[in-house]
Coordinates of all heavy atoms in Angstrom, one line a residue:
M11 N 0.9 -1.2 0.0 CA 0.0 0.0 0.0 C 0.9 1.2 0.0 O 1.8 1.4 0.8 CB -0.9 0.0 1.2 CG -1.8 1.2 1.4 SD -3.1 1.2 0.1 CE -4.3 -0.1 0.7
V12 N 0.6 2.1 -0.9 CA 1.4 3.4 -1.0 C 0.5 4.5 -0.4 O -0.6 4.7 -0.9 CB 1.8 3.7 -2.5 CG1 2.5 5.1 -2.5 CG2 2.7 2.6 -3.0
E13 N 1.0 5.2 0.5 CA 0.3 6.3 1.1 C 0.6 7.6 0.4 O 1.8 8.0 0.3 CB 0.6 6.4 2.6 CG -0.2 7.4 3.4 CD 0.2 7.6 4.8 OE1 1.4 7.4 5.2 OE2 -0.7 7.8 5.6
I14 N -0.4 8.2 -0.1 CA -0.3 9.5 -0.7 C -1.1 10.6 0.0 O -2.3 10.4 0.2 CB -0.8 9.5 -2.2 CG1 -0.1 8.4 -3.0 CG2 -0.6 10.9 -2.9 CD1 -0.6 8.3 -4.4
I15 N -0.4 11.6 0.5 CA -1.1 12.6 1.3 C -1.0 14.0 0.5 O 0.2 14.4 0.2 CB -0.5 12.8 2.7 CG1 -0.6 11.4 3.4 CG2 -1.2 13.9 3.5 CD1 0.0 11.4 4.8
V16 N -2.1 14.6 0.2 CA -2.1 15.9 -0.5 C -2.4 16.9 0.5 O -3.4 16.9 1.2 CB -3.1 15.9 -1.6 CG1 -3.1 17.2 -2.4 CG2 -2.8 14.7 -2.6
C17 N -1.6 18.0 0.6 CA -1.8 19.1 1.5 C -3.0 19.9 1.0 O -3.1 20.3 -0.1 CB -0.6 19.9 1.6 SG -0.8 21.3 2.7
V18 N -3.9 20.2 2.0 CA -5.0 21.0 1.7 C -5.0 22.3 2.6 O -6.0 22.9 2.8 CB -6.4 20.3 1.8 CG1 -6.5 19.2 0.8 CG2 -6.5 19.7 3.2
G19 N -3.8 22.6 3.1 CA -3.6 23.8 3.9 C -3.8 25.0 3.0 O -3.9 24.9 1.8
S20 N -3.9 26.2 3.6 CA -4.4 27.4 2.8 C -3.5 27.7 1.6 O -3.9 28.0 0.5 CB -4.5 28.6 3.7 OG -3.4 28.7 4.5
S21 N -2.1 27.6 1.8 CA -1.2 27.9 0.7 C -1.4 26.9 -0.4 O -1.5 27.3 -1.6 CB 0.2 27.9 1.2 OG 1.1 28.0 0.1
C22 N -1.4 25.7 -0.1 CA -1.6 24.6 -1.2 C -3.0 24.7 -1.8 O -3.2 24.4 -3.0 CB -1.3 23.3 -0.6 SG 0.5 23.0 -0.2
H23 N -4.0 24.9 -0.9 CA -5.4 25.0 -1.4 C -5.4 26.1 -2.5 O -6.1 25.8 -3.6 CB -6.3 25.4 -0.3 CG -7.7 25.6 -0.7 ND1 -8.6 24.5 -1.1 CD2 -8.4 26.7 -0.9 CE1 -9.7 25.0 -1.4 NE2 -9.7 26.4 -1.4
L24 N -4.8 27.2 -2.3 CA -4.8 28.3 -3.3 C -4.1 27.9 -4.6 O -4.4 28.4 -5.7 CB -4.2 29.5 -2.8 CG -4.9 30.2 -1.7 CD1 -4.1 31.4 -1.1 CD2 -6.3 30.8 -2.2
K25 N -3.2 26.9 -4.5 CA -2.4 26.5 -5.7 C -3.1 25.3 -6.4 O -2.5 24.8 -7.4 CB -1.0 26.2 -5.3 CG -0.3 27.5 -4.9 CD 1.1 27.2 -4.3 CE 1.6 28.5 -3.7 NZ 2.0 28.3 -2.4
G26 N -4.2 24.8 -5.9 CA -4.9 23.8 -6.6 C -5.0 22.4 -6.0 O -5.1 21.4 -6.7
S27 N -4.9 22.3 -4.6 CA -5.0 21.0 -4.0 C -6.2 20.2 -4.5 O -6.0 19.0 -4.8 CB -5.2 21.1 -2.5 OG -4.1 21.7 -1.9
Y28 N -7.3 20.8 -4.6 CA -8.5 20.0 -5.0 C -8.3 19.4 -6.4 O -8.7 18.2 -6.6 CB -9.8 21.0 -5.0 CG -11.0 20.2 -5.4 CD1 -11.7 19.4 -4.5 CD2 -11.5 20.4 -6.7 CE1 -12.8 18.7 -4.9 CE2 -12.7 19.7 -7.1 CZ -13.3 18.9 -6.2 OH -14.4 18.2 -6.6
D29 N -7.8 20.2 -7.3 CA -7.6 19.7 -8.7 C -6.5 18.6 -8.7 O -6.6 17.6 -9.4 CB -7.1 20.8 -9.6 CG -8.3 21.8 -9.8 OD1 -9.4 21.4 -9.7 OD2 -8.0 23.0 -10.2
V30 N -5.5 18.7 -7.8 CA -4.5 17.7 -7.7 C -5.1 16.4 -7.2 O -4.8 15.3 -7.8 CB -3.3 18.1 -6.8 CG1 -2.4 17.0 -6.5 CG2 -2.5 19.3 -7.5
I31 N -5.9 16.5 -6.2 CA -6.5 15.3 -5.6 C -7.4 14.6 -6.6 O -7.4 13.4 -6.8 CB -7.3 15.6 -4.3 CG1 -6.4 16.0 -3.2 CG2 -8.2 14.5 -3.9 CD1 -7.1 16.6 -2.0
Q32 N -8.2 15.4 -7.3 CA -9.1 14.9 -8.3 C -8.4 14.1 -9.4 O -8.8 13.0 -9.8 CB -10.0 16.0 -8.9 CG -11.3 15.5 -9.5 CD -12.2 16.7 -9.8 OE1 -11.8 17.8 -10.2 NE2 -13.5 16.5 -9.6
R33 N -7.3 14.7 -9.9 CA -6.6 14.1 -11.0 C -5.9 12.8 -10.5 O -5.8 11.8 -11.2 CB -5.6 15.1 -11.6 CG -4.9 14.5 -12.8 CD -5.8 14.2 -14.0 NE -5.1 13.5 -15.0 CZ -5.7 12.5 -15.7 NH1 -6.9 12.0 -15.5 NH2 -4.9 11.9 -16.7
L34 N -5.3 12.9 -9.3 CA -4.7 11.7 -8.7 C -5.7 10.5 -8.6 O -5.4 9.4 -8.9 CB -4.1 12.0 -7.4 CG -2.7 12.7 -7.4 CD1 -2.3 13.1 -6.0 CD2 -1.7 11.8 -8.0
E35 N -6.9 10.9 -8.2 CA -8.0 9.9 -8.1 C -8.3 9.2 -9.4 O -8.4 8.0 -9.6 CB -9.3 10.5 -7.5 CG -9.2 10.7 -6.0 CD -10.5 11.3 -5.4 OE1 -11.2 11.9 -6.2 OE2 -10.6 11.2 -4.2
E36 N -8.3 10.1 -10.4 CA -8.6 9.6 -11.8 C -7.5 8.7 -12.3 O -7.7 7.6 -12.8 CB -8.7 10.8 -12.8 CG -10.0 11.6 -12.6 CD -10.0 12.9 -13.5 OE1 -9.0 13.1 -14.2 OE2 -10.9 13.7 -13.3
L37 N -6.2 9.1 -12.0 CA -5.1 8.3 -12.5 C -5.0 6.9 -11.7 O -4.7 5.9 -12.3 CB -3.8 9.1 -12.3 CG -3.6 10.2 -13.3 CD1 -2.5 11.2 -12.8 CD2 -3.3 9.7 -14.6
V38 N -5.3 7.0 -10.4 CA -5.4 5.7 -9.7 C -6.4 4.8 -10.3 O -6.2 3.6 -10.5 CB -5.6 6.0 -8.2 CG1 -6.0 4.7 -7.4 CG2 -4.4 6.7 -7.5
A39 N -7.6 5.3 -10.6 CA -8.7 4.5 -11.2 C -8.3 4.0 -12.5 O -8.5 2.8 -12.9 CB -9.9 5.3 -11.2
E40 N -7.7 4.9 -13.4 CA -7.2 4.5 -14.7 C -6.3 3.3 -14.7 O -6.2 2.5 -15.5 CB -6.6 5.6 -15.4 CG -7.6 6.7 -16.0 CD -6.9 7.9 -16.5 OE1 -5.7 7.9 -16.8 OE2 -7.6 8.9 -16.6
H41 N -5.4 3.3 -13.6 CA -4.5 2.2 -13.5 C -5.0 1.0 -12.6 O -4.2 0.1 -12.3 CB -3.2 2.8 -12.8 CG -2.4 3.7 -13.8 ND1 -2.7 5.0 -14.0 CD2 -1.4 3.4 -14.6 CE1 -1.9 5.5 -14.9 NE2 -1.1 4.6 -15.3
E42 N -6.3 1.1 -12.3 CA -6.9 0.1 -11.5 C -6.1 -0.2 -10.2 O -5.8 -1.4 -9.8 CB -7.1 -1.2 -12.3 CG -8.1 -0.9 -13.5 CD -8.3 -2.2 -14.3 OE1 -7.6 -3.2 -14.1 OE2 -9.2 -2.1 -15.2
A43 N -5.6 0.9 -9.6 CA -4.7 0.7 -8.4 C -5.4 1.2 -7.1 O -4.7 1.5 -6.1 CB -3.5 1.6 -8.7
E44 N -6.7 1.1 -7.1 CA -7.5 1.6 -5.9 C -7.0 0.8 -4.7 O -7.0 1.4 -3.6 CB -9.0 1.5 -6.1 CG -9.5 2.4 -7.1 CD -9.7 1.8 -8.5 OE1 -8.9 0.9 -8.8 OE2 -10.5 2.3 -9.3
D45 N -6.7 -0.5 -4.9 CA -6.4 -1.3 -3.7 C -4.9 -1.1 -3.3 O -4.5 -1.6 -2.2 CB -6.6 -2.8 -4.0 CG -8.1 -3.1 -4.2 OD1 -8.9 -2.3 -3.8 OD2 -8.4 -4.1 -4.8
L46 N -4.2 -0.4 -4.1 CA -2.7 -0.2 -3.8 C -2.4 1.2 -3.2 O -1.3 1.4 -2.8 CB -1.9 -0.4 -5.1 CG -2.1 -1.7 -5.9 CD1 -1.4 -1.6 -7.2 CD2 -1.7 -2.9 -5.0
V47 N -3.4 2.1 -3.2 CA -3.1 3.4 -2.8 C -4.1 3.9 -1.7 O -5.3 3.6 -1.8 CB -3.3 4.4 -4.1 CG1 -3.2 5.8 -3.7 CG2 -2.3 4.1 -5.1
D48 N -3.5 4.5 -0.7 CA -4.3 5.2 0.3 C -4.1 6.7 0.1 O -3.1 7.2 0.5 CB -3.8 4.7 1.7 CG -4.5 5.4 2.8 OD1 -5.6 5.9 2.6 OD2 -4.0 5.3 4.0
L49 N -5.1 7.3 -0.5 CA -5.0 8.8 -0.8 C -5.8 9.6 0.2 O -7.0 9.3 0.4 CB -5.6 9.0 -2.2 CG -5.6 10.4 -2.8 CD1 -4.2 11.0 -2.9 CD2 -6.3 10.4 -4.2
S50 N -5.2 10.6 0.8 CA -5.9 11.4 1.8 C -5.4 12.8 1.7 O -4.4 13.1 1.1 CB -5.7 10.8 3.2 OG -4.4 10.8 3.5
G51 N -6.0 13.7 2.5 CA -5.6 15.1 2.6 C -5.1 15.4 3.9 O -5.2 14.6 4.9
S52 N -4.4 16.5 4.0 CA -3.8 16.8 5.3 C -3.7 18.4 5.4 O -3.6 19.0 4.4 CB -2.4 16.3 5.4 OG -1.7 16.9 6.5
F53 N -3.7 18.9 6.6 CA -3.4 20.3 6.8 C -1.9 20.5 6.5 O -1.2 19.6 6.2 CB -3.8 20.8 8.1 CG -5.3 20.8 8.3 CD1 -6.0 20.0 9.1 CD2 -6.1 21.6 7.5 CE1 -7.4 20.0 9.2 CE2 -7.5 21.6 7.5 CZ -8.1 20.8 8.4
C54 N -1.4 21.8 6.6 CA -0.1 22.1 6.2 C 1.0 21.1 6.5 O 1.1 20.7 7.7 CB 0.3 23.5 6.8 SG 1.9 24.1 6.2
L55 N 1.7 20.7 5.5 CA 2.7 19.7 5.7 C 4.1 20.3 6.0 O 5.1 19.7 6.1 CB 2.9 18.7 4.5 CG 1.6 17.8 4.3 CD1 1.8 17.1 2.9 CD2 1.6 16.8 5.4
G56 N 4.1 21.7 6.1 CA 5.3 22.4 6.5 C 6.3 22.6 5.4 O 7.4 22.9 5.7
S57 N 5.8 22.4 4.2 CA 6.7 22.6 3.0 C 6.1 23.5 2.0 O 6.3 23.2 0.8 CB 7.1 21.2 2.4 OG 7.6 20.3 3.3
C58 N 5.4 24.5 2.4 CA 4.8 25.4 1.4 C 5.8 25.9 0.4 O 6.8 26.4 0.7 CB 4.2 26.6 2.1 SG 3.2 26.2 3.6
G59 N 5.5 25.6 -0.9 CA 6.4 25.9 -2.0 C 5.7 26.6 -3.1 O 4.7 27.3 -2.9
K60 N 6.2 26.3 -4.3 CA 5.6 27.0 -5.5 C 4.3 26.3 -6.0 O 3.6 26.8 -6.8 CB 6.6 27.0 -6.6 CG 7.7 28.0 -6.4 CD 8.7 27.9 -7.5 CE 9.6 26.7 -7.4 NZ 10.8 26.6 -8.2
G61 N 4.1 25.1 -5.4 CA 2.9 24.3 -5.8 C 2.3 23.6 -4.6 O 2.5 24.1 -3.5
V62 N 1.6 22.6 -4.9 CA 0.9 21.8 -3.9 C 1.9 20.8 -3.3 O 2.6 20.1 -4.1 CB -0.3 21.1 -4.4 CG1 -1.0 20.2 -3.4 CG2 -1.3 22.2 -5.0
T63 N 1.9 20.7 -2.0 CA 2.8 19.7 -1.4 C 2.1 18.3 -1.4 O 1.0 18.2 -0.9 CB 3.2 20.1 0.0 OG1 3.9 21.3 0.0 CG2 4.1 19.0 0.7
V64 N 2.8 17.3 -1.9 CA 2.3 15.9 -1.9 C 3.3 15.0 -1.2 O 4.5 15.1 -1.6 CB 2.0 15.4 -3.3 CG1 1.4 14.0 -3.3 CG2 1.0 16.4 -4.0
R65 N 2.9 14.2 -0.3 CA 3.8 13.2 0.3 C 3.5 11.8 -0.3 O 2.3 11.5 -0.2 CB 3.7 13.2 1.8 CG 5.0 12.8 2.5 CD 5.0 13.1 3.9 NE 4.3 12.0 4.6 CZ 3.8 12.0 5.8 NH1 4.0 13.1 6.5 NH2 3.2 11.0 6.3
V66 N 4.5 11.1 -0.7 CA 4.3 9.8 -1.2 C 5.2 8.9 -0.4 O 6.4 9.0 -0.5 CB 4.7 9.6 -2.7 CG1 4.4 8.2 -3.2 CG2 3.9 10.6 -3.6
G67 N 4.6 8.1 0.5 CA 5.4 7.4 1.5 C 6.1 8.4 2.4 O 5.5 9.3 2.9
E68 N 7.5 8.3 2.4 CA 8.3 9.3 3.2 C 8.8 10.4 2.3 O 9.4 11.4 2.9 CB 9.4 8.6 3.9 CG 9.0 7.6 4.9 CD 8.1 8.2 6.0 OE1 8.4 9.3 6.5 OE2 7.0 7.6 6.2
A69 N 8.6 10.4 1.0 CA 9.1 11.4 0.1 C 8.2 12.6 0.0 O 6.9 12.4 -0.1 CB 9.4 10.8 -1.2
V70 N 8.7 13.8 0.1 CA 7.9 15.0 0.1 C 8.2 15.8 -1.2 O 9.3 16.0 -1.5 CB 8.1 15.9 1.3 CG1 7.3 17.2 1.2 CG2 7.8 15.2 2.6
Y71 N 7.1 16.1 -2.0 CA 7.2 16.8 -3.2 C 6.4 18.1 -3.0 O 5.2 18.1 -3.0 CB 6.7 16.0 -4.4 CG 7.3 14.7 -4.5 CD1 6.8 13.6 -3.9 CD2 8.5 14.6 -5.3 CE1 7.4 12.3 -4.0 CE2 9.1 13.3 -5.4 CZ 8.6 12.2 -4.8 OH 9.2 11.0 -4.9
P72 N 7.1 19.3 -2.9 CA 6.5 20.5 -2.5 C 5.9 21.3 -3.7 O 5.3 22.4 -3.5 CB 7.5 21.3 -1.8 CG 8.8 20.8 -2.4 CD 8.6 19.4 -2.8
D73 N 6.1 20.9 -4.9 CA 5.8 21.8 -6.0 C 4.9 21.1 -7.1 O 5.2 21.3 -8.3 CB 7.1 22.3 -6.7 CG 7.9 23.1 -5.7 OD1 7.3 23.9 -4.9 OD2 9.1 23.0 -5.7
V74 N 4.0 20.3 -6.7 CA 3.1 19.7 -7.7 C 2.0 20.6 -8.1 O 1.2 21.1 -7.3 CB 2.5 18.4 -7.1 CG1 1.6 17.7 -8.1 CG2 3.6 17.4 -6.6
L75 N 1.9 20.9 -9.4 CA 0.9 21.8 -9.9 C -0.2 21.0 -10.6 O 0.1 19.9 -11.1 CB 1.5 22.8 -10.9 CG 2.5 23.8 -10.3 CD1 3.3 24.6 -11.3 CD2 1.7 24.7 -9.3
P76 N -1.4 21.5 -10.6 CA -2.5 20.7 -11.2 C -2.3 20.2 -12.6 O -2.6 19.1 -12.9 CB -3.7 21.7 -11.1 CG -3.4 22.6 -10.0 CD -1.9 22.8 -10.0
D77 N -1.6 21.0 -13.4 CA -1.4 20.6 -14.8 C -0.1 19.7 -15.0 O 0.3 19.4 -16.1 CB -1.4 21.8 -15.8 CG -0.3 22.8 -15.5 OD1 0.5 22.5 -14.6 OD2 -0.2 23.8 -16.1
D78 N 0.5 19.4 -13.8 CA 1.7 18.6 -13.8 C 1.5 17.2 -13.1 O 2.4 16.5 -12.9 CB 2.8 19.4 -13.1 CG 4.2 18.8 -13.3 OD1 4.4 18.3 -14.4 OD2 5.0 18.8 -12.4
V79 N 0.2 16.9 -12.8 CA -0.1 15.7 -12.0 C 0.2 14.5 -12.8 O 0.7 13.5 -12.2 CB -1.6 15.7 -11.5 CG1 -1.9 14.5 -10.8 CG2 -1.8 16.9 -10.6
D80 N -0.1 14.5 -14.1 CA 0.2 13.3 -14.9 C 1.7 12.9 -14.9 O 2.0 11.7 -14.7 CB -0.3 13.4 -16.3 CG -1.8 13.4 -16.4 OD1 -2.4 14.2 -15.7 OD2 -2.3 12.7 -17.3
R81 N 2.6 13.9 -15.1 CA 4.0 13.6 -15.0 C 4.4 13.2 -13.6 O 5.2 12.2 -13.4 CB 4.8 14.9 -15.4 CG 6.3 14.7 -15.4 CD 7.1 16.0 -15.1 NE 6.7 16.6 -13.9 CZ 7.1 16.2 -12.7 NH1 8.0 15.2 -12.6 NH2 6.8 16.9 -11.6
F82 N 3.9 13.9 -12.6 CA 4.2 13.5 -11.2 C 3.8 12.1 -10.9 O 4.6 11.3 -10.4 CB 3.5 14.5 -10.3 CG 3.5 14.1 -8.8 CD1 4.7 14.2 -8.1 CD2 2.4 13.5 -8.2 CE1 4.8 13.8 -6.8 CE2 2.5 13.1 -6.9 CZ 3.7 13.3 -6.2
F83 N 2.6 11.7 -11.4 CA 2.1 10.3 -11.1 C 3.1 9.3 -11.8 O 3.5 8.3 -11.2 CB 0.7 10.2 -11.6 CG 0.1 8.8 -11.3 CD1 -0.5 8.6 -10.1 CD2 0.1 7.8 -12.2 CE1 -1.1 7.3 -9.8 CE2 -0.4 6.5 -12.0 CZ -1.0 6.3 -10.7
A84 N 3.4 9.6 -13.1 CA 4.2 8.7 -13.8 C 5.6 8.5 -13.2 O 6.2 7.4 -13.2 CB 4.3 9.2 -15.3
E85 N 6.2 9.6 -12.7 CA 7.6 9.6 -12.2 C 7.7 9.2 -10.8 O 8.6 8.6 -10.3 CB 8.2 10.9 -12.5 CG 8.5 11.2 -13.9 CD 9.2 12.6 -14.2 OE1 9.6 13.2 -13.2 OE2 9.3 13.0 -15.3
C86 N 6.7 9.6 -10.0 CA 6.9 9.5 -8.5 C 5.9 8.5 -7.8 O 6.2 8.1 -6.7 CB 6.7 10.9 -7.9 SG 7.8 12.1 -8.5
V87 N 4.9 8.2 -8.5 CA 3.9 7.3 -7.9 C 3.9 5.9 -8.6 O 4.1 4.9 -7.9 CB 2.5 7.9 -7.9 CG1 1.5 6.9 -7.3 CG2 2.4 9.2 -7.2
K88 N 3.8 5.9 -9.9 CA 3.7 4.7 -10.6 C 4.8 3.7 -10.3 O 4.5 2.5 -10.2 CB 3.6 5.0 -12.1 CG 2.8 4.0 -12.9 CD 2.6 4.5 -14.3 CE 2.4 3.2 -15.2 NZ 2.2 3.6 -16.6
P89 N 6.1 4.1 -10.3 CA 7.1 3.1 -10.0 C 6.9 2.4 -8.7 O 7.4 1.3 -8.5 CB 8.4 4.0 -10.0 CG 8.1 5.2 -10.8 CD 6.6 5.5 -10.5
R90 N 6.3 3.0 -7.7 CA 6.1 2.4 -6.4 C 4.9 1.4 -6.5 O 4.8 0.6 -5.5 CB 5.7 3.5 -5.4 CG 6.9 4.4 -5.0 CD 6.4 5.5 -4.2 NE 7.5 6.4 -3.8 CZ 8.0 6.5 -2.6 NH1 7.5 5.7 -1.6 NH2 8.9 7.3 -2.3
L91 N 4.1 1.5 -7.5 CA 2.9 0.7 -7.5 C 3.2 -0.6 -8.3 O 2.5 -1.6 -8.1 CB 1.7 1.4 -8.2 CG 1.3 2.7 -7.6 CD1 0.2 3.3 -8.4 CD2 0.7 2.4 -6.2
G92 N 4.1 -0.6 -9.2 CA 4.4 -1.8 -10.0 C 3.3 -2.1 -10.9 O 3.0 -3.2 -11.3
V93 N 2.6 -1.0 -11.4 CA 1.5 -1.2 -12.4 C 2.0 -0.8 -13.8 O 2.9 -0.1 -13.9 CB 0.2 -0.5 -12.0 CG1 -0.4 -1.1 -10.8 CG2 0.4 1.0 -11.9
Ligands
FES111 S1 -0.1 24.8 3.1 FE1 0.6 23.0 2.1 S2 2.6 22.7 2.8 FE2 1.9 24.4 3.9

């Protein structure tokens, strides 16, 4: 199980947390990986940056933008899923 936490704190919310979560949910479904991913939201993860902060396992990515979620998923999530 891969834990993905998307920050919904005020800074990240303004940069598109909701859109990031929605696209991640779509990508997880497209890869039929619902049973492999635990996707949730969190208040400020303490890494406010240029984009939305997303934690995948212990790795923190502070600059995920809504139009960059597909690349992020392919590079940072998919390899952990083995799909
Ligand atoms: S509000 Fe998202 S890391 Fe601070």
Side-chain angles (χ1 to χ4, degrees):
M11 180 68 75
V12 176
E13 185 180 34
I14 303 176
I15 300 175
V16 180
C17 180
V18 293
S20 51
S21 172
C22 290
H23 175 75
L24 290 173
K25 293 171 188 126
S27 294
Y28 178 78
D29 293 336
V30 170
I31 291 171
Q32 200 167 38
R33 185 60 188 144
L34 281 174
E35 282 178 342
E36 289 171 4
L37 287 164
V38 167
E40 283 172 19
H41 289 81
E42 299 179 350
E44 292 94 335
D45 294 341
L46 304 173
V47 173
D48 179 16
L49 179 63
S50 62
S52 165
F53 291 114
C54 182
L55 292 170
S57 304
C58 311
K60 285 179 286 192
V62 176
T63 299
V64 181
R65 207 170 82 195
V66 182
E68 295 306 312
V70 176
Y71 303 92
D73 297 323
V74 181
L75 293 169
D77 59 6
D78 193 33
V79 177
D80 287 51
R81 181 206 58 79
F82 171 76
F83 184 86
E85 291 181 6
C86 304
V87 178
K88 211 171 153 185
R90 292 169 178 254
L91 299 176
V93 292

